[in-house]
Amino acid sequence: MKKEELQAIASQLKNPTGEKGIEMANMMHETNINMTRHSIQNLHIESGNTILELGHGNSGHVEFIFEQAENIKYYGLEMSELMFQEARRINRNFVSQKQAFFTLYDGNKIPFQDNFFDKIFTVNTIYFWLEPEKLLSEIDRVLKQKGIFCLTFAEESFMKQLPFTQYEFELYSTEKAENLVQKTTFKIIKKETLTEKVKTRTGELVDRDFTTLVLKRD
Ligand SMILES: C[S@@+](CC[C@H](N)C(=O)[O-])C[C@H]1O[C@@H](n2cnc3c(N)ncnc32)[C@H](O)[C@@H]1O
């Protein structure tokens, strides 16, 4: 594949736009649903919880969140205008019932007050964080005391085999992510790496290792 094609894939994954962006988001939803469910399950959502997700893509998984407990509020933050619109369209019932709320932001400053969320999660976004320590301190700020944050990502050992990750992506091993977290006030209370089979663009099945770090605010 040509350099320009690889760059276009990387750029769509970082910030989906246009017709191609909708297709890419549908494909991501299917390929990443296992990772997303793993992140959500590790939140141990309880009745009455207020949840935040960063970088939800088309947010086809929101129904799964509402199956976890009663009386939940879900907030989604995106940098992609297209994903913001797709998520609102796909979840219009939850939006009109004021159970799900979607907002665009700049990727740095989380537009919510301190101590607002019980649980926060993000899947496959850390690669694109421009200032990871600052974003983690924003997550810490909007999370309630003793709140939980699940950080889920595919391992560098797998991601580096994908030719488009040489553009736009900052790859993380578990160790590198742990080192990042150690510079913050979060404590790692659990880490789990799973291996799953995923389909490549050419249709073959390959093993993908992914990790969820469960972080607690002290
Ligand atoms: C690779 S996609 C992953 C989508 C979905 N979470 C999944 O795993 O299928 C990355 C998404 O994160 C968004 N994004 C990129 N940087 C972000 C940031 N700093 N904060 C929140 N979202 C971000 C992109 O717009 C894109 O929709």
Side-chain angles (χ1 to χ4, degrees):
M1 212 182 263
K2 288 195 208 123
K3 182 181 170 195
E4 294 73 42
E5 289 169 309
L6 296 173
Q7 278 173 330
I9 295 172
S11 152
Q12 281 290 356
L13 292 167
K14 180 183 184 182
N15 182 14
T17 52
E19 271 304 304
K20 277 252 153 33
I22 294 181
E23 270 172 44
M24 189 62 99
N26 291 337
M27 187 276 288
M28 280 195 284
H29 170 71
E30 278 177 33
T31 315
N32 300 333
I33 189 66
N34 230 7
M35 294 179 71
T36 305
R37 286 178 177 230
H38 191 252
S39 206
I40 294 167
Q41 279 159 341
N42 273 294
L43 292 173
H44 298 289
I45 295 175
E46 292 162 6
S47 156
N49 278 177
T50 302
I51 316 285
L52 173 67
E53 179 176 9
L54 304 175
H56 46 68
N58 74 10
S59 232
H61 53 275
V62 166
E63 202 167 353
F64 179 72
I65 296 177
F66 287 112
E67 286 166 14
Q68 306 299 306
E70 298 292 310
N71 196 21
I72 294 166
K73 292 223 183 308
Y74 167 90
Y75 290 77
L77 272 186
E78 256 293 342
M79 294 179 70
S80 154
E81 164 86 36
L82 180 71
M83 290 304 98
F84 163 73
Q85 284 167 1
E86 275 292 278
R88 281 176 56 87
R89 185 183 65 77
I90 291 172
N91 296 290
R92 56 190 170 279
N93 291 343
F94 294 123
V95 171
S96 65
Q97 287 158 23
K98 300 207 180 316
Q99 292 176 284
F101 306 86
F102 294 96
T103 311
L104 276 168
Y105 86 127
D106 64 4
N108 297 310
K109 173 98 189 75
I110 299 183
F112 291 101
Q113 67 202 58
D114 299 358
N115 305 312
F116 191 72
F117 297 102
D118 298 288
K119 315 268 160 82
I120 303 182
F121 74 106
T122 193
V123 182
N124 286 315
T125 69
I126 190 173
Y127 332 116
F128 310 117
W129 295 0
L130 291 180
E131 295 188 277
E133 273 180 69
K134 279 197 188 155
L135 190 56
L136 284 171
S137 92
E138 274 292 279
I139 293 169
D140 178 275
R141 180 182 66 74
V142 297
L143 191 57
K144 290 182 188 168
Q145 251 194 341
K146 311 284 176 205
I148 298 287
F149 169 47
C150 285
L151 174 59
T152 301
F153 56 94
E155 285 286 333
E156 177 174 25
S157 52
F158 169 79
M159 293 294 277
K160 71 181 184 201
Q161 302 168 50
L162 306 173
F164 53 81
T165 60
Q166 61 191 293
Y167 307 104
E168 312 278 2
F169 283 70
E170 174 73 30
L171 300 182
Y172 282 82
S173 59
T174 297
E175 198 190 353
K176 183 168 159 185
E178 284 177 299
N179 287 339
L180 169 64
V181 171
Q182 269 149 20
K183 295 183 193 155
T184 72
T185 50
F186 280 109
K187 292 265 167 309
I188 301 173
I189 56 168
K190 180 180 167 186
K191 61 176 175 182
E192 185 168 38
T193 300
L194 297 180
T195 306
E196 62 174 349
K197 295 260 182 235
V198 286
K199 239 190 214 162
T200 62
R201 302 176 75 78
T202 50
E204 319 151 58
L205 284 178
V206 292
D207 284 337
R208 168 166 74 179
D209 288 347
F210 73 85
T211 297
T212 295
L213 294 184
V214 184
L215 311 182
K216 190 161 191 170
R217 215 201 119 174
D218 260 347

